[in-house]
Amino acid sequence: MNTIDAAMIAILEKRLELSKLNYSDESYDDVEEILHDLEDDFNEKYGDQLEEILEKVHIKHCPESDVLLPTAYLAKKFVETEDGEIEIGKKEGVEVEWIENPAVGARLVLLPSPTRILLMTPKGISVVWEKES
C-alpha cells in the first residue's frame, strides 16, 4: 500500500473511532486531537498535489463549486464490509454543483486503495480520477 492510501486509511479509521465515542467520553478530546493532527499532516504532505487534481476534476464536472482542502472530500462515516471494501453513505464527501444538473445533490468523495475520486449523482457513482499504479 502506498503512503497516501495509508494516510487516508489512518484518518478514516480515526474518524470511525471518534464517531463511536460520546462527547462525555474521557478519550474523546484525545482522539479528536489525534484526528486533527492526522488531517493537518495529510493536507501538508499531499494537499498541493491533491488540490491540483481536484481543481481539474472541478473544472470538468463542477466548475461553479470551490475546491476545498483534500480532507474535506474524505468520508466522515463509512462501513467496512467483510471483504475489506469501504461502503459510504450518500451524504459523504463534498456537495458540488454538478455541471449536468446544478439543482441535484452531487458529491465528490476521495477514497483510498486505490486512491480515487468518486462523483456521486442521481445517475450513479463514477470514478472521475484514479491514481495510476
Side-chain angles (χ1 to χ4, degrees):
M1 178 184 317
N2 66 43
T3 55
I4 192 169
D5 281 343
M8 277 193 275
I9 289 168
I11 291 170
L12 293 171
E13 288 174 343
K14 198 54 69 177
R15 285 180 176 178
L16 182 61
E17 180 182 346
L18 189 64
S19 73
K20 293 178 180 178
L21 297 175
N22 291 322
Y23 291 117
S24 59
D25 193 299
E26 260 178 40
S27 61
Y28 187 92
D29 289 340
D30 293 335
V31 172
E32 185 178 44
E33 186 174 328
I34 292 168
L35 172 61
H36 291 312
D37 288 345
L38 288 170
E39 291 172 336
D40 290 345
D41 292 347
F42 183 85
N43 285 327
E44 187 174 313
K45 188 167 186 177
Y46 304 107
D48 291 343
Q49 170 190 354
L50 286 172
E51 283 178 30
E52 196 173 296
I53 293 162
L54 286 161
E55 182 73 36
K56 290 175 185 171
V57 168
H58 272 255
I59 288 168
K60 186 172 182 180
H61 300 283
C62 48
E64 297 299 316
S65 299
D66 292 333
V67 176
L68 305 177
L69 288 173
T71 49
Y73 296 85
L74 289 169
K76 301 277 188 262
K77 294 181 181 173
F78 65 94
V79 175
E80 189 172 357
T81 62
E82 288 183 22
D83 59 356
E85 293 291 314
I86 293 173
E87 289 183 0
I88 57 172
K90 295 179 181 181
K91 298 289 183 186
E92 295 305 322
V94 172
E95 187 167 357
V96 293
E97 204 172 305
W98 183 34
I99 198 167
E100 286 187 35
N101 187 349
V104 302
R107 304 186 81 79
L108 288 175
V109 183
L110 176 63
L111 290 175
S113 299
T115 305
R116 64 203 183 277
I117 299 170
L118 304 181
L119 175 63
M120 300 189 313
T121 70
K123 287 185 174 182
I125 298 174
S126 55
V127 177
V128 293
W129 177 84
E130 187 169 329
K131 184 177 182 193
E132 296 173 10
S133 325

